[in-house]
Structures are given as C-alpha cells and as structure tokens.
C-alpha cells in the first residue's frame, strides 16, 4: 500500500515540473487526439460515462419536484467544476493507449493502485467544496433578487427570468460569478490530476503546476476552458444525453493537453501496474481480457 502523503510527493520534496509553451493549434490537436482515444472503443466509454447524464437528470427532476427550480442551471453548470476528478479513469486509458497497452474499460479502475490516490482525493474534495459553494452562492443570489419564495412553476420562472429586470440581473450576475468559479477550477486543476497520475508529486505541486501552465499559456488555456464550456453546453441540450460522448472526449483530450504542457523526466514517472500473469493455457484470465 502506498504511504499516505498529500502535500509533497513520494520523496517528501516539492517538485516543480517544467512548463512548455503551447499554441492554439496544440489545443485543437489535443482535442483531436482525445476524440481518437474515444473512437478506439466508443461503446465502452459511453457506458462508463452514462452515469454523468443519469445523475444530472435525477438532480434536475429532484429540484423540479422539490420547489428548487432556481438550482437547475447551477447544478448543470456546476458539473463542469467536478469534471477534472471524474476524468481520472479516462486519463489512465489514454496513458495506456499512448504506450500501446490494452485499453479495456476495466483499466479505468487501475487508478486505485496509484501512489498519488491520497493527493487525488484531496483535490477531489476541493472541487466538491467549490461545487457546493457555487450552489450556495447561486441560492443566495436568487434569494436576494426574488426573496425567499420558490417559483410556482417552471413556465412562470422562465418567463420571469427572460422578461424582467431582476431576471436578467440574475442571468448576468450568475454567469459572471459562475465564470469566476470555473476560472478557479481551470487555474488549479487543468493539468493537476493527469500530472498526479503520471508522477506522484503531491497535491500542492499539482495545483501549483496547473497555475503556472495557465500563467505561461493564457490564450491556449482560456481557449481550452471555452471549448470545455461550449462542449458541455452542447452535450447538455438533448436531455444531457450528449454528455455520454462529450465527457470521455474531453477527458482523453485533457490527458493529451497535459502531455503537451508539462514536461516530466522519465525517471520520475509512476510506472504502470505490471501486466497480470497468464494462465497455464497461455491466456489471461477471462475477466481480464479486453
């Protein structure tokens, strides 16, 4: 079992991986590579990521029936804040494909063997805290503009939202505040979790490396954030069903973006788990075959 270390890496020192300068073309190339990874076995990843739209539909149904219609948009947009953590298994698949190894969907769960799991969980908790904070801020903003009363119906709520001054104030301020939350996540986690999977540097170094990556590549990174936001919006339109495709593509693309931005010496990388032993017949056990 890996030792429990979070702040620093396995060597108890703070690493500072080198940051490369990238261009807008590199962002689109990472997106193309992410689609290639997805297309390699699309049905596997769609199945794995169906939980995302299913949970989304459940939450929207719950808010609609629980007199919390004002939280539908914050919930849908807030999913983007949790995306970096939910993509960990997809980063692992891309890492294996990069090395011409088996990319069966089962390997998405190999991350549980990573020595950086404690640091990953800390970042996951940080993202969850930001998600909850966003929902609370959205509710406070709504209460400030509309009072404590809940909307009587979805039709009346959306009618008021788009035809009154307070409705447009809610839209404008809500989107500005949401942008600040999204920018915080981008600056702290854009390459943090792929880096931890690739090299056990600790949570602090992973977050600090993400911040330097955005600082040194502001235009490409802001473009990446815009692509993620637009893709999630498009994927959410057909009852969130499109997220089953959008999420894996963005997850794989994030790995390739990390590869382009962060330079990690080969000797510092976390090796992949060893391949399982074959049976007496020369084949892997049936439950490990891709």
């Amino acid at each position: 079992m890996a030792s429990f270390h979070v702040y620093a890496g396995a060597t108890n020192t703070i690493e500072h991986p080198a940051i490369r300068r990238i261009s807008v073309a590199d962002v689109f190339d990472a997106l193309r590579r992410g689609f290639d990874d997805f297309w390699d076995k699309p049905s596997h990843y769609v199945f794995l990521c169906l939980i995302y739209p299913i949970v989304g539909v459940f939450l929207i149904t719950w808010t609609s029936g629980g007199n919390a219609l004002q939280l539908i948009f914050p919930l849908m947009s807030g999913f983007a804040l949790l995306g970096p953590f939910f993509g960990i298994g997809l980063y692992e698949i891309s890492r294996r494909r990069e090395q011409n190894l088996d990319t069966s969907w089962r390997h998405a769960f190999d991350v549980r063997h990573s020595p950086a799991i404690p640091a990953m969980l800390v970042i996951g908790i940080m993202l969850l805290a930001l998600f909850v904070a966003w929902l609370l801020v959205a509710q406070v903003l709504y209460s400030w503009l509309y009072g404590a009363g809940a909307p009587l119906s979805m039709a009346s709520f959306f009618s008021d939202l788009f035809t009154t001054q307070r409705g447009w104030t809610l839209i404008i301020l809500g989107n500005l505040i949401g942008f600040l939350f999204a920018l915080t996540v981008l600056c702290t986690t854009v390459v943090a979790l792929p880096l931890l999977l690739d090299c056990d540097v600790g949570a602090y170094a992973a977050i600090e490396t993400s911040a330097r990556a955005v600082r040194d590549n502001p235009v490409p990174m802001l473009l990446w954030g815009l692509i993620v936001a637009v893709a999630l919006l498009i994927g959410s339109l057909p009852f969130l069903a499109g997220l089953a495709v959008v999420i894996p593509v963005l997850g794989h693309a994030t790995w390739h973006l990390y590869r382009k931005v962060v330079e990690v010496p080969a000797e510092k990388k976390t090796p992949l788990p060893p391949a399982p032993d074959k049976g007496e017949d020369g084949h892997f056990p049936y439950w490990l075959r891709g």
Side-chain angles (χ1 to χ4, degrees):
M1 180 180 294
S3 59
F4 189 88
H5 52 272
V6 173
Y7 181 77
T11 60
N12 292 320
T13 59
I14 304 299
E15 302 284 348
H16 299 282
I19 299 297
R20 301 188 186 98
R21 297 297 181 98
I22 63 171
S23 66
V24 168
D26 289 314
V27 174
F28 286 108
D29 184 62
L31 192 62
R32 180 188 61 79
R33 291 172 182 265
F35 183 80
D36 288 343
D37 286 355
F38 166 77
W39 196 248
D40 182 46
K41 291 180 180 177
S43 60
H44 288 176
Y45 307 140
V46 169
F47 173 76
L48 284 174
C49 296
L50 274 176
I51 188 65
Y52 213 88
I54 289 174
V55 170
V57 170
F58 170 78
L59 290 175
I60 290 173
T61 303
W62 172 71
T63 53
S64 300
N67 294 324
L69 292 172
Q70 70 276 11
L71 291 179
I72 289 179
F73 176 75
L75 279 170
M76 293 176 62
S77 58
F79 277 161
L81 304 181
L82 301 174
F85 183 77
F86 287 124
I88 294 176
L90 299 168
Y91 310 152
E92 177 68 10
I93 295 295
S94 287
R95 182 167 76 138
R96 295 185 63 86
R97 188 168 186 258
E98 191 177 69
Q99 300 184 32
N100 295 317
L101 298 174
D102 176 45
T103 56
S104 169
W105 64 270
R106 298 174 182 86
H107 291 294
F109 299 98
D110 287 352
V111 295
R112 69 186 188 278
H113 301 301
S114 172
I117 277 292
M120 293 179 188
L121 291 176
V122 166
I123 292 179
I125 292 172
M126 180 191 76
L127 293 175
L128 180 60
L130 286 170
F131 175 67
V132 173
W134 159 238
L135 293 181
L136 292 175
V137 170
Q139 179 60 39
V140 169
L141 178 61
Y142 174 82
S143 297
W144 174 59
L145 292 170
Y146 281 79
L152 298 177
S153 67
M154 184 174 294
S156 63
F157 174 65
F158 282 107
S159 175
D160 186 275
L161 191 65
F162 292 106
T163 60
T164 66
Q165 182 177 354
R166 66 177 180 177
W168 280 106
T169 302
L170 179 64
I171 291 174
I172 294 172
L173 288 181
N175 278 282
L176 286 175
I177 296 172
F179 171 77
L180 294 178
F181 274 93
L183 185 62
T184 300
V185 171
L186 178 72
C187 292
T188 55
T189 65
V190 64
V191 296
L193 290 162
L195 173 59
L196 286 172
L197 185 64
D198 195 36
C199 181
D200 184 13
V201 297
Y204 173 82
I207 293 173
E208 187 265 347
T209 301
S210 286
R212 287 190 291 119
V214 175
R215 182 198 65 189
D216 295 348
N217 299 281
V219 173
M221 287 303 179
L222 288 176
L223 173 63
W224 172 247
L226 179 62
I227 289 174
V228 170
V230 171
L232 290 175
L233 175 62
I234 294 174
S236 299
L237 292 179
F239 302 102
L240 303 181
L243 293 178
V245 174
V246 170
I247 295 300
V249 170
L250 292 178
H252 292 306
T254 298
W255 172 262
H256 294 290
L257 184 68
Y258 153 73
R259 279 296 200 208
K260 291 177 178 293
V261 174
V262 182
E263 185 175 354
V264 177
E267 64 273 12
K268 292 184 177 293
K269 292 184 178 182
T270 302
L272 284 161
D277 294 331
K278 294 183 178 181
E280 294 180 359
D281 60 354
H283 298 288
F284 292 121
Y286 73 91
W287 49 273
L288 284 175
R289 295 172 190 168

